[in-house]
Amino acid sequence: MTFKPESSTPLAIALGRAHERFAQTGQDLKDFDIQISERTRENGEDENGENTIGIAFVAKLEPGKKGLGNANRLGRSVLYIASKTSGEILREAGSR
């Protein structure tokens, strides 16, 4: 994924805010992979039609286990959707 230089500040703000919210879940960051995606009008925008950034904290699998990332005891994945222009977290979605 490539972000234009003018969007690097909102991305840094969004990462910081997503990390703060994730820390409030009480889960251990070492048990997660972080995935960042640029969400365009085709696959995700906010209420105002603005393109967004997806920041996902994806639970890793337990050693020796197969399946989905949430099919384990290491944690619960969380996706934060942030504004690409301000870095504000617009919404979040957890998985079970």
Side-chain angles (χ1 to χ4, degrees):
M1 167 192 54
T2 304
F3 286 97
K4 296 178 183 171
E6 64 269 17
S7 67
S8 61
T9 299
L11 174 59
I13 291 168
L15 281 170
R17 290 179 176 171
H19 180 262
E20 287 173 3
R21 286 195 180 191
F22 180 80
Q24 292 174 358
T25 69
Q27 300 183 91
D28 193 342
L29 187 59
K30 72 176 176 52
D31 294 329
F32 290 80
D33 289 322
I34 300 172
Q35 299 174 353
I36 302 168
S37 60
E38 186 172 15
R39 298 166 55 93
T40 61
R41 291 180 188 264
E42 291 82 31
N43 66 3
E45 57 186 34
D46 74 3
E47 298 79 26
N48 300 316
E50 179 180 320
N51 290 338
T52 58
I53 300 166
I55 302 168
F57 291 80
V58 181
K60 295 177 182 177
L61 287 173
E62 290 179 318
K65 297 277 184 173
K66 294 181 181 179
L68 300 175
N70 285 324
N72 66 68
R73 296 184 180 138
L74 294 181
R76 182 176 168 194
S77 298
V78 183
L79 170 65
Y80 299 97
I81 306 298
S83 166
K84 193 174 170 182
T85 56
S86 70
E88 175 188 359
I89 302 293
L90 303 171
R91 61 188 174 277
E92 66 182 77
S95 56
R96 296 191 183 267

